[in-house]
Amino acid sequence: MAFAAKTVRGVPRLARQLSTSAPRNTKVAVLGAAGGIGQPLSLLLKTSSVGIKNLALYDVAHAPGVAADVSHIDSVCKVTGHLGPDQLNGALEGANIVVIPAGVPRKPGMSRDDLFNTNASIVATLASAAATVCPSAFLCIITNPVNSMVPLATDIYQRKNVYNNQVVGVTTLDVVRSNTFIAEATGQSPYELDIPVIGGHSGVTILPLLSSIQHSLSPEKVKELTVRIQNAGTEVVEAKAGAGSATLSMAYAGASFTKLITRAIDSSPGSVTACGYAPMPDQNQFSMPYFALPLTITRSGFNSQRTDVALNAFESELVETEVKPQLIKDIEKGIQFSKSFLEKK
């Protein structure tokens, strides 16, 4: 199975393929910039050379300090710090891309589902503000559980009548992990790999399409690697022994995805391709309202109308027996929270 463009590793290659105009003064707002993901994410975006000219760092604590720290880095990107709810709108004004890593991290023994109530309230508040202040900006959600947060945010945008294919869950880390683990198993370079990951962004909903690689793996090895990729987040949580979750690798993945969107914004015309978890059109290959798959990204938004994702028998069975049943529950939870959140406002 072949895809037209590299997902994460192929950013420079994509840049050469695109016909570009002069870079725009792209503004990125990071909501949750003082957290374990937010700080390294802000650092990576500040040092980016893909056209980010303004970086607004928001959090309920310590955001001005983080902004002051990264502002000393010698790049052309201007950094501003925004502290607390009264300064949220200022962070969002004029933003082209809004990235949300805000929320509490996972701890040992905690599932993504355990995070839901606290993080759902945070994401609902931030998404509601973004839908009001910068409704046309890309909204990229990192906060877990992504499977529920994206339906929650999308429902808010739809109820405010501003949804236009601009909301996505960042699943890039699943692709990065797949490339890394397969490279280790096969002896290939991870730079040569671009493994699509479909479904969702937690546990059994993560489905790496290992049938796409040009290397023979035994069925047993495929199952072993699939399970490792699905549980990779837990692997990091346990290794950190209570000191945090996958913050650094997630920041890298989030920055890679954000920079890819920046390239799409600057392309004239053109598009880039990356895996992400997004709303699906009514008629889609997997008969799901939300699903992760390779998305076409243009300056106008995310296009999820893919009908050519090839699966082998093992992958098809997992989609029907594990991915979809769990996703349906996760999606409904997010939509129900959105409904109750807006009714209280």
Side-chain angles (χ1 to χ4, degrees), residues 151-166:
L152 185 164
T154 301
D155 191 62
I156 289 174
Y157 271 60
Q158 290 172 336
R159 291 172 185 269
K160 289 178 175 285
N161 296 314
V162 295
Y163 177 72
N164 188 28
N165 301 314
Q166 73 273 56

Side-chain angles (χ1 to χ4, degrees), residues 40-59:
L41 172 63
S42 300
L43 169 66
L44 291 169
L45 294 176
K46 175 66 166 82
T47 58
S48 169
S49 60
V50 295
I52 299 173
K53 295 298 187 292
N54 293 279
L55 185 61
L57 306 184
Y58 169 85
D59 215 318

Side-chain angles (χ1 to χ4, degrees), residues 171-317:
T171 64
T172 309
L173 183 53
D174 298 324
V175 176
V176 169
R177 286 167 167 162
S178 297
N179 292 342
T180 300
F181 299 163
I182 297 305
E184 292 173 351
T186 63
Q188 295 175 271
S189 167
Y191 298 107
E192 299 172 352
L193 293 170
D194 180 29
I195 299 169
V197 182
I198 68 170
H201 185 56
S202 68
V204 298
T205 68
I206 300 170
L207 181 56
L209 300 184
L210 303 188
S211 62
S212 66
I213 66 173
Q214 305 298 315
H215 196 286
S216 179
L217 294 172
S218 69
E220 293 75 20
K221 192 63 175 179
V222 168
K223 291 180 182 179
E224 174 190 326
L225 288 166
T226 298
V227 171
R228 187 186 177 196
I229 292 164
Q230 291 173 335
N231 295 327
T234 301
E235 182 178 312
V236 175
V237 170
E238 292 176 349
K240 288 190 174 182
S245 57
T247 53
L248 301 177
S249 54
M250 184 63 248
Y252 166 78
S256 297
F257 189 76
T258 303
K259 288 186 282 188
L260 207 60
I261 296 175
T262 302
R263 292 190 184 279
I265 291 173
D266 284 344
S267 67
S268 178
S271 64
V272 296
T273 302
C275 287
Y277 178 71
M280 295 290 105
D282 291 338
Q283 301 295 324
N284 64 81
Q285 179 179 351
F286 299 100
S287 301
M288 290 292 292
Y290 295 84
F291 212 74
L293 78 172
L295 304 172
T296 300
I297 310 170
T298 70
R299 65 173 54 172
S300 300
F302 302 102
N303 184 344
S304 57
Q305 297 186 21
R306 294 292 297 263
T307 59
D308 60 344
V309 180
L311 310 177
N312 64 15
F314 171 71
E315 294 159 351
S316 296
E317 181 180 2

Side-chain angles (χ1 to χ4, degrees), residues 78-92:
K78 178 183 177 182
V79 181
T80 56
H82 306 264
L83 181 64
D86 290 343
Q87 296 184 18
L88 175 57
N89 286 1
L92 293 169

